[in-house]
Amino acid sequence: AQSVTQLGSHVSVSEGALVLLRCNYSSSVPPYLFWYVQYPNQGLQLLLKYTTGATLVKGINGFEAEFKKSETSFHLTKPSAHMSDAAEYFCAVFFSGGYNKLIFGAGTRLAVHP
Amino acid sequence: NAGVTQTPKFQVLKTGQSMTLQCAQDMNHEYMSWYRQDPGMGLRLIHYSVGAGITDQGEVPNGYNVSRSTTEDFPLRLLSAAPSQTSVYFCASSYSPGQGWNTIYFGEGSWLTVV
């Protein structure tokens, strides 16, 4: 069955520290992978996506993610956290091959401390 | 979120009432879907459609109906509202995977409270 798992519902980092948000998926078909950010009382904003090609994907606001097929992972990183990065982050996976479903992880709330 | 319009933005229903959340897009997208967002559970897929006249169930379809009579519109119907359906609902649209699909557009959300 297709599934998306985000490890850690809450992550706390200091300003300037590395941000690492983890996402693993289960799929028998090649997936399309996404990271979204949601600020309080707002909608979803696309950070980055992987469909085909280069496995290291750069997105907005200094975020990047690497697709590792062997590990079925798509972890999100940012070298230096800013206070403005505090938000909830969602990993999403589109399962093709007849399934045609975009499934989200449960989300990770990122807190950034001064 | 340009192109995907959801209405209403806020709604309070009484248990047992019915209502329809409207979703419209003007980008000629074939793929449309409805999600609900609940704290700690992320977004869960309710129903989706890969084109006019074609719909399918997602992860949590019970209590909801959909139809897709046109490419532009994908309404979500709550037949008999229950407090468990209190949530934030998001509509999304995109091109189909076979058309080089890469970006999903979300509506701004509809906050529904069932009392």
Side-chain angles (χ1 to χ4, degrees), chain B residues 53-113:
Chain B
I54 307 170
T55 64
D56 206 347
Q57 296 181 348
E59 302 169 277
V60 288
N62 292 341
Y64 307 94
N65 274 1
V66 292
S67 60
R68 186 90 181 271
S69 56
T70 66
T71 299
E72 295 78 18
D73 300 299
F74 191 46
L76 178 71
R77 299 182 184 86
L78 283 70
L79 301 177
S80 178
S84 60
Q85 294 178 303
T86 294
S87 187
V88 183
Y89 292 84
F90 287 96
C91 178
S93 78
S94 66
Y95 292 111
S96 293
Q99 296 179 1
W101 180 76
N102 57 10
T103 300
I104 307 159
Y105 296 83
F106 283 89
E108 294 187 341
S110 297
W111 274 253
L112 176 66
T113 301

Side-chain angles (χ1 to χ4, degrees), chain A residues 14 19-20 23 26 29 31 36 38 40 42-43 45-46 57 64-65 75 77 88 99 104-105 108 113:
Chain A
S14 298
V19 176
L20 171 60
C23 175
S26 172
V29 297
Y36 286 87
Q38 186 179 39
Q42 293 188 24
Q45 181 181 6
L46 179 67
V57 180
E64 61 182 37
H75 302 330
T77 61
E88 189 155 24
Y99 299 106
F104 283 79
T108 298
H113 299 288

Side-chain angles (χ1 to χ4, degrees), chain A residues 32 34 36 38 43-44 49 51 90 94 99-106, chain B residues 1 31 35 37 40-43 48 57 59 90 97 101-104 106:
Chain A
Y32 297 149
F34 303 81
Y36 286 87
Q38 186 179 39
L44 294 158
K49 61 181 184 285
T51 53
F90 294 96
F94 184 84
Y99 299 106
N100 293 323
K101 294 181 180 179
L102 177 67
I103 303 297
F104 283 79
Chain B
N1 296 306
Y31 189 90
Y35 293 86
Q37 183 178 18
M41 305 188 76
L43 280 78
Y48 67 99
Q57 296 181 348
E59 302 169 277
F90 287 96
W101 180 76
N102 57 10
T103 300
I104 307 159
F106 283 89

Side-chain angles (χ1 to χ4, degrees), chain A residues 59-80:
Chain A
I60 62 171
N61 302 338
F63 285 93
E64 61 182 37
E66 186 171 11
F67 169 49
K68 293 187 176 181
K69 184 178 179 181
S70 61
E71 299 178 6
T72 59
S73 69
F74 191 57
H75 302 330
L76 182 71
T77 61
K78 182 174 182 178
S80 177

